[in-house]
Amino acid sequence: MLDYLYLGLYKFVNIVLKIIPDALMRKLMYGLAWLAYVLSAKHRKRIKDNLHLAYHATLSDAEQKKIGIHAFMNLIDTVFGIVKRDGISKEKVLQHVTFEGAEIIEKYQKEGKNFILITGHYGNWELLSQSIAIKFNLTLVGVGRKIDSDVMDEVLKKNREQFNVEMVYKQGAMKDSIRAINQNKVVGILTDQAIRKNQSIDVEFFGEKATHTPLASILSRKFNLDLIPAYISTDDYREYKVKIYDPIKSIKTENQEEDLAILTQLQADVMEDVIKRNPKQWFWMHRRWK
């Protein structure tokens, strides 16, 4: 019964998003983000704790609040975007998306070389995966968490697949990612996902010890695939920019542990640099430092 309540809400939001003008929708998104920041003491505290760790207490209360509100706004934008793009054309998805560094992926494609895409919960990360799959005409297999509602999980699965994005779940992610690579599909990994400490690799992140998923590093080393970082950002929640960074070259020596540590630290370094350039775009609600 609850599943169909979620489905009804999804369809209602879909209709509302198509009726409300974009300018008004952005104001509504900001209002919801402000409300979430003010009312959610738990998440507000986590945001402040994370900012304190990352910036060593150099941010004012006003700066922390601004970053916190935008963290919620990015989440709302990502969720609303999923609903709003349901059933639209691929051309329309790319209508307000520009790319920097597209030649990096195009070079790999021209040479017939596969790669692993790495990103994080930064900007509208769902739009990132769909935009890249459409722009470069590839099948992108994302690793994520299955949502609790089976009905809604199936709706989101179909939503993504219309734009060449498939999903595998964290439970069994290694096996499913290997299968995707063997099918010459591109695996995309959110490297800042929450992960158990006994399944992670420790990295230095903003000068502090943090846990990091080793999945991209393991796959890179096993299949000799380079890692290509890509992140999406926006200044106005209307126009979006995808920036593709120089690849992290695969490493395979006789010392597997060291190889994985180096590859994983390099991923954390890229993400840290991206966040520092625009901290308002990152999902500061994560328990990133454990």
Side-chain angles (χ1 to χ4, degrees), residues 141-170:
V141 179
V143 178
R145 185 180 73 84
K146 185 179 185 299
I147 63 175
D148 297 332
S149 167
D150 290 337
V151 171
M152 287 310 302
D153 194 69
E154 185 62 26
V155 168
L156 295 181
K157 181 174 177 287
K158 289 180 180 178
N159 182 302
R160 288 159 171 152
E161 286 178 353
Q162 68 179 322
F163 304 120
N164 304 343
V165 177
E166 300 175 3
M167 289 300 295
V168 298
Y169 302 120
K170 287 201 288 184

Side-chain angles (χ1 to χ4, degrees), residues 44-270:
R44 185 171 66 250
K45 182 180 185 304
R46 187 174 295 166
I47 289 168
K48 288 186 173 184
D49 288 346
N50 284 341
L51 287 169
H52 181 84
L53 271 172
Y55 288 94
H56 307 289
T58 60
L59 298 178
S60 67
D61 288 343
E63 288 172 320
Q64 291 179 53
K65 183 177 181 180
K66 185 176 182 179
I67 291 171
I69 291 172
H70 276 276
F72 277 108
M73 191 159 176
N74 292 327
L75 176 59
I76 294 167
D77 185 45
T78 298
V79 173
F80 280 9
I82 293 171
V83 179
K84 195 171 183 179
R85 288 190 297 277
D86 194 348
I88 71 172
S89 68
K90 293 179 179 180
E91 292 74 21
K92 196 164 184 180
V93 172
L94 295 183
Q95 191 174 2
H96 296 287
V97 182
T98 57
F99 289 80
E100 180 181 337
E103 68 278 0
I104 293 171
I105 290 179
E106 288 167 349
K107 183 174 186 291
Y108 276 76
Q109 290 182 309
K110 186 177 180 180
E111 295 174 357
K113 294 170 62 178
N114 200 354
F115 58 90
I116 296 167
L117 187 79
I118 57 171
T119 189
H121 291 88
Y122 186 89
N124 191 323
W125 60 87
E126 284 280 346
L127 177 58
L128 171 73
S129 61
Q130 294 174 0
S131 297
I132 285 182
I134 296 168
K135 169 74 173 177
F136 300 103
N137 192 28
L138 53 84
T139 300
L140 182 64
V141 179
V143 178
R145 185 180 73 84
K146 185 179 185 299
I147 63 175
D148 297 332
S149 167
D150 290 337
V151 171
M152 287 310 302
D153 194 69
E154 185 62 26
V155 168
L156 295 181
K157 181 174 177 287
K158 289 180 180 178
N159 182 302
R160 288 159 171 152
E161 286 178 353
Q162 68 179 322
F163 304 120
N164 304 343
V165 177
E166 300 175 3
M167 289 300 295
V168 298
Y169 302 120
K170 287 201 288 184
Q171 185 77 24
M174 180 64 72
K175 181 178 70 174
D176 290 335
S177 295
I178 289 172
R179 183 186 298 115
I181 290 169
N182 287 332
Q183 293 171 346
N184 204 35
K185 296 175 181 178
V186 175
V187 173
I189 298 171
L190 289 159
T191 60
D192 58 353
Q193 293 192 67
I195 186 171
R196 294 175 186 170
K197 191 163 179 60
N198 63 357
Q199 297 176 336
S200 68
I201 288 179
D202 286 339
V203 294
E204 186 174 289
F205 191 59
F206 283 86
E208 301 287 339
K209 190 175 177 180
T211 56
H212 197 289
T213 174
L215 179 59
S217 301
I218 293 170
L219 293 172
S220 172
R221 186 180 186 276
K222 180 177 177 65
F223 292 100
N224 190 31
L225 296 177
D226 296 339
L227 306 170
I228 298 184
Y231 290 85
I232 189 168
S233 61
T234 181
D235 292 324
D236 58 8
Y237 296 92
R238 185 175 184 275
E239 304 294 331
Y240 297 83
K241 179 180 178 181
V242 172
K243 184 170 182 181
I244 300 163
Y245 292 79
D246 290 334
I248 298 171
K249 297 294 185 178
S250 180
I251 302 171
K252 188 169 186 177
T253 68
E254 294 181 356
N255 191 331
Q256 175 179 310
E257 186 176 346
E258 184 176 277
D259 292 348
L260 295 179
I262 292 171
L263 283 168
T264 308
Q265 183 61 59
L266 288 171
Q267 294 168 57
D269 291 344
V270 172

